[in-house]
Amino acid sequence: MTLLSARPPQPVEPGLLSRALEVAGRLANEATDVITATAGRGAHPGVKDSPFDWVTDTDRTLERHTRRVLTAEFPGIPVVGEEYGAEVGVLDAPYRWVVDPVDGTANYVAGVPWCAYSLALVDESGPVVGVVADPYRAQIYAAARGRGARANGKPVHLTDRRATGGAIVCTELARKGPWPGMGEFIQRAGAAHAGVRILGSAALSIAQVALGHAVAAVLHSYHERDVAGSVAIAIEAGATVLDRRGAGTALPADGLLVAAPSAAEEVLDWWRETASA
């Protein structure tokens, strides 16, 4: 299979990059404090239309705070969020902020230490700036287009691995359960001696690839707000980002594969063959 290269992303004014990265980092640190102080401790969840989809007061509080800060700091750039939707004018704006205040809310409610705050500035080429707070590990992952990726201020460079054998591949459930072909995908990975993990946060699943902990992450479906921050980090760390057809695009419409470059084609084959079976 021939993988299709992505178009080069458009340049961004350096001042905007620096300011967006600084403000997003500050918001991520504040979110870390809130999440660690409240997770699993008297949270009052409200169930949406799926048993896998929760919302809490923390989600709403963090998103309202994020919107207030971004509106004050970046007037004219609309915000799209998990709880309060998109602001007027988002379709015509050259940039937009996308935020998921608690990605992995079911884990957060249960006190399972695996959830994240995800924030990204996005343009027509994809993520411009991305910041993901990993509260339980006291880590802030951040990246800006052309400036590399960092974890708590230290540069992150993906060390490519040559084989999937012995490696971890992350995926996530679809909105209402396993995605079509998911069982077969896990079997294919097992046959190649790779382990599949379903951890409950799309943002952190992709971040594991950027950090070198996982060789790939496959999302059969996703929301931009969940993954844009971690995709920015993965791209800047050196990961390959593809859609289901093998086309290189930062935020594809048809599923998402983020992988170490040498593993991308093999994992894509598992996904395509099992999803179409």
Side-chain angles (χ1 to χ4, degrees):
M1 179 189 301
T2 301
L3 303 182
L4 306 176
S5 299
R7 293 178 300 173
Q10 64 185 33
V12 180
E13 195 273 314
L16 175 59
L17 276 180
S18 297
R19 196 157 56 91
L21 194 58
E22 187 276 325
V23 173
R26 173 158 44 93
L27 286 165
N29 275 289
E30 293 168 351
T32 292
D33 293 340
V34 172
I35 290 170
T36 54
T38 58
R41 303 170 191 169
H44 301 289
V47 181
K48 296 182 181 178
D49 62 350
S50 164
F52 300 100
D53 198 3
W54 299 62
V55 62
T56 70
D57 289 342
T58 302
D59 293 82
R60 298 186 184 99
T61 299
L62 284 175
E63 184 169 326
R64 287 196 299 266
H65 175 65
T66 297
R67 285 175 178 271
R68 283 194 298 268
V69 171
L70 294 178
T71 298
E73 295 279 355
F74 304 92
I77 299 182
V79 182
V80 181
E82 167 80 4
E83 305 307 330
Y84 298 103
E87 294 178 353
V88 174
V90 68
L91 295 178
D92 299 320
Y95 297 100
R96 63 188 176 277
W97 286 102
V98 294
V99 58
D100 188 346
V102 184
D103 180 53
T105 311
N107 287 347
Y108 164 80
V109 169
V112 175
W114 195 261
C115 65
Y117 170 88
S118 177
L119 177 63
L121 181 65
V122 178
D123 67 7
E124 65 179 10
S125 299
V128 173
V129 164
V131 175
V132 173
D134 184 352
Y136 287 99
R137 275 151 288 281
Q139 293 283 318
I140 303 292
Y141 312 125
R145 185 176 293 168
R147 296 189 181 183
R150 294 179 179 271
N152 281 3
K154 296 182 179 180
V156 173
H157 303 289
L158 179 62
T159 301
D160 199 11
R161 56 190 304 160
R162 296 184 178 276
T164 55
I168 293 294
V169 176
C170 295
T171 190
E172 295 294 334
L173 296 170
R175 187 176 182 83
K176 295 188 177 181
W179 42 266
M182 186 174 179
E184 291 83 356
F185 177 86
I186 294 172
Q187 290 177 352
R188 284 292 304 273
H193 306 289
V196 176
R197 298 293 181 268
I198 304 166
L199 300 171
S201 167
L204 291 184
S205 289
I206 294 170
Q208 302 318 298
V209 180
L211 296 166
H213 300 156
V215 75
V218 174
L219 300 179
H220 190 80
S221 58
Y222 69 94
H223 294 292
E224 180 184 74
R225 60 182 178 262
D226 298 335
V227 305
S230 54
V231 166
I233 296 158
I235 289 172
E236 290 297 319
T240 296
V241 180
L242 301 170
D243 68 9
R244 202 188 318 269
R245 298 179 298 108
T249 178
L251 292 169
D254 186 23
L256 175 67
L257 167 66
V258 180
S262 62
E265 188 167 354
E266 182 179 1
V267 178
L268 179 64
D269 283 341
W270 303 344
W271 183 26
R272 292 184 62 178
E273 290 171 10
T274 57
S276 61

